[in-house]
Amino acid sequence: MNGEPDLANTATEQAFVEFERVQKSYDGEILVVKDLNLSMPKGEFLTMLGPSGSGKTTCLMMLAGFETATHGEIKLGGKPINNIPPHKRGIGMVFQNYALFPHMTVAENLSFPLEVRKIGKSEREEKIMRALGMVQMQDFAGRRPAQLSGGQQQRIALARALVFEPELVLMDEPLGALDKQLRETLQFEITRLAHDLGITTVYVTHDQTEALTMSDRVAVFDDGRIQQLAPPDQLYEEPENSFVAQFIGENNTLLGKVSKIAGDQCEVTLDDGEIIDAKPVNVTEVGQRTRVSIRPERVEMNKERLSPDAHTLKAEVLEFIYMGDIFRTRLRVAGNDDFVIKTRNAPDQVRLTPGTQIDIGWLPQDCRALDA
Ligand SMILES: Nc1ncnc2c1ncn2[C@@H]1O[C@H](COP(=O)(O)OP(=O)(O)OP(=O)(O)O)[C@@H](O)[C@H]1O
Ligand SMILES: [Mg+2]
């Protein structure tokens, strides 16, 4: 209680989960997690999304206490937990391969984490029934895991993670083995439970739709680093680098060089000589190589919607696909045969035939000049 108020410190006090400059190496040579910094407020639902081998599970394992950080500090509720064993961290866990105990009934599976925590019999029974109720499995208390479907087992695993009312729950691809419909149902149930119970959740997946629909924020991992940490809409609309632009959602890219730059607009000369307008995101100087990125639904074919001085590009229609709610048209643009545009299926929307030449353009703010 000495000293003056420290604003930087106040911010840290509100953080519930913190990774500070965390590094991890399994072999003493290669860092599979490199300088990870992450701060989560209580109650947040955060998803770690990234390709295989990018370090997601390793981060979860360090937070759970099954692996130790090679460097840096992990804090929970403002306190370092590097030296606290897993069962004392009060963390609930659901893993794809973290199976239920096969020889125990559902009720016994749920009882286990409570017994470990020395909770008395009557209180245990009450908590077990409440947890089963949360996942709508009250009628299955006496069954063994083998007598349940995959989705039901996953629900029980979720109930077991929640039964001791943890403040933090970690989930590593908990729905990976389930079919699409069941996955969507459980995605909804998990987010509802997490929000209703005020649980802080770290969720790992490599399914981007799952990440975008479930999370308050998404940390996109690649190569042991967080490439971008942002709410879903910002991640999709404002990717900060080429990796994120490519990894999240469908994306068109064109390669070129920055030929003019002023404030938040730049001009890019594409490799075939054509000129386009973009927003400089990852580029700062004239002459720099860049990969411009534009979402298929932001490409404009209607010149009236563009500013009069906007640059347009010639495009040839290669393929037109009717998809019900939208039309998906593949174009050849500046030598790229995989340039896709999406248009809404409206009564006045033309259906383009292959071979047609059209002009396309965009608002500069919808086209992002990123690292090459
Ligand atoms: N116990 C271990 N010993 C040695 N290397 C490991 C160990 N666990 C993971 N690794 C390596 O660390 C890197 C990160 O692995 P991690 O399991 O964290 O990736 P991930 O992002 O969870 O991938 P996935 O999506 O495939 O589950 C990989 O290169 C992996 O081979
Ligand atoms: Mg993993």
Side-chain angles (χ1 to χ4, degrees):
M1 293 293 284
N2 61 337
E4 55 276 37
D6 181 345
L7 284 180
N9 250 338
T10 325
T12 343
E13 271 162 30
Q14 286 165 351
F16 184 56
V17 174
E18 285 165 284
F19 284 79
E20 286 173 3
R21 318 218 64 171
V22 170
Q23 299 183 336
K24 173 69 181 175
S25 173
Y26 287 104
D27 60 5
E29 281 182 30
I30 303 162
L31 288 178
V32 299
V33 173
K34 302 164 183 163
D35 197 33
L36 186 87
N37 293 286
L38 176 66
S39 170
M40 289 175 67
K42 215 165 180 355
E44 179 169 54
F45 197 111
L46 181 133
T47 297
M48 294 177 170
L49 173 72
S52 187
S54 56
K56 308 179 297 292
T57 297
T58 302
C59 288
L60 223 55
M61 288 299 174
M62 289 192 287
L63 186 52
F66 298 121
E67 291 290 348
T68 48
T70 312
H71 234 283
E73 195 149 61
I74 302 173
K75 290 182 183 167
L76 193 57
K79 295 190 194 79
I81 52 170
N82 293 22
N83 295 316
I84 303 175
H87 64 280
K88 295 220 168 123
R89 295 189 183 191
I91 299 176
M93 275 171 273
V94 191
F95 293 157
Q96 187 181 347
N97 55 0
Y98 193 72
L100 299 169
F101 304 118
H103 58 289
M104 293 185 188
T105 63
V106 162
E108 286 162 354
N109 263 281
L110 264 64
S111 184
F112 183 76
L114 299 172
E115 285 167 40
V116 172
R117 289 173 176 80
K118 309 258 187 293
I119 291 170
K121 189 160 188 291
S122 64
E123 200 183 339
R124 280 204 309 264
E125 278 166 7
E126 198 182 299
K127 284 186 194 292
I128 290 168
M129 286 324 283
R130 187 172 342 133
L132 287 178
M134 285 178 199
V135 295
Q136 281 120 48
M137 291 288 289
Q138 301 97 312
D139 300 340
F140 295 80
R143 295 243 194 131
R144 288 183 196 284
Q147 299 168 314
L148 301 172
S149 73
Q152 289 168 338
Q153 289 184 36
Q154 217 47 35
R155 281 208 172 96
I156 299 303
L158 184 61
R160 187 175 61 178
L162 299 175
V163 72
F164 61 95
E165 292 153 27
E167 290 185 299
L168 176 63
V169 174
L170 311 182
M171 303 194 200
D172 196 349
E173 311 242 0
L175 310 179
L178 306 176
D179 68 52
K180 188 166 178 287
Q181 202 178 347
L182 195 54
R183 223 162 54 214
E184 283 169 6
T185 311
L186 283 177
Q187 281 168 10
F188 175 74
E189 274 182 40
I190 289 173
T191 40
R192 181 182 56 82
L193 276 175
H195 281 129
D196 287 358
L197 302 174
I199 295 170
T200 310
T201 311
V202 185
Y203 191 93
V204 168
T205 182
H206 47 241
D207 178 337
Q208 51 151 309
T209 313
E210 196 163 287
L212 293 181
T213 54
M214 295 178 79
S215 323
D216 295 319
R217 282 191 304 165
V218 179
V220 180
F221 273 70
D222 187 40
D223 193 26
R225 284 184 203 281
I226 294 181
Q227 301 291 325
Q228 189 168 355
L229 173 62
D233 55 344
Q234 199 178 331
L235 216 51
Y236 182 82
E237 315 263 344
E238 298 166 29
E240 279 167 10
N241 60 40
S242 283
F243 177 81
V244 176
Q246 293 287 80
F247 195 73
I248 307 286
E250 203 169 7
N251 187 49
N252 292 306
T253 63
L254 297 169
L255 285 165
K257 246 187 206 167
V258 179
S259 44
K260 268 190 209 164
I261 187 162
D264 64 352
Q265 286 210 30
C266 70
E267 194 184 87
V268 174
T269 304
L270 299 178
D271 288 352
D272 74 340
E274 296 207 65
I275 289 172
I276 58 166
D277 306 305
K279 178 187 164 85
V281 177
N282 246 0
V283 292
T284 48
E285 296 165 26
V286 169
Q288 231 174 325
R289 293 284 299 158
T290 180
R291 181 184 289 273
V292 298
S293 146
I294 177 152
R295 298 291 181 197
E297 67 277 14
R298 293 297 167 96
V299 179
E300 201 51 78
M301 291 189 293
N302 186 342
K303 273 191 182 163
E304 284 90 73
R305 296 212 196 109
L306 299 171
S307 64
D309 57 342
H311 289 109
T312 56
L313 285 181
K314 294 253 173 286
E316 181 188 340
V317 177
L318 298 178
E319 190 180 22
F320 175 87
I321 302 171
Y322 174 86
M323 297 185 73
D325 55 344
I326 60 157
F327 301 156
R328 190 170 186 281
T329 312
R330 191 163 61 82
L331 306 172
R332 176 177 297 140
V333 178
N336 177 355
D337 281 358
D338 267 318
F339 199 98
V340 169
I341 58 176
K342 286 182 187 166
T343 42
R344 201 165 61 86
N345 179 357
D348 60 342
Q349 184 67 55
V350 279
R351 302 184 181 198
L352 295 162
T353 37
T356 313
Q357 302 285 333
I358 58 169
D359 286 326
I360 57 166
W362 41 74
L363 300 173
Q365 67 263 29
D366 289 334
C367 178
R368 301 171 68 81
L370 301 168
D371 53 293

